[in-house]
Amino acid sequence: MSATELHWVKSSYSSGPDPGDCVEVAHAPAMIHVRDSKTPGTPHVTVAAATWESFLAYVSE
């Protein structure tokens, strides 16, 4: 699946004093795609859904 086919959603934590510093994620079957919203045409990181869930649990502590 290409980056243009994904539905990107901006992080709710990206609405602080500098809204230019944003992260966007896109959910696909079994994978999560992550990118910098300032440069949507550049490559993005893809991780397994379980890896993303572990990451979110760690940063939520």
Side-chain angles (χ1 to χ4, degrees), residues 13-55:
Y13 290 99
S14 296
S15 59
D18 187 4
D21 295 334
C22 300
V23 172
E24 294 178 325
V25 297
H27 298 262
M31 303 303 284
I32 303 297
H33 305 269
V34 184
R35 74 178 180 184
D36 180 346
S37 66
K38 295 184 303 289
T39 53
T42 61
H44 61 275
V45 175
T46 303
V47 297
T51 302
W52 183 248
E53 290 172 14
S54 294
F55 169 74

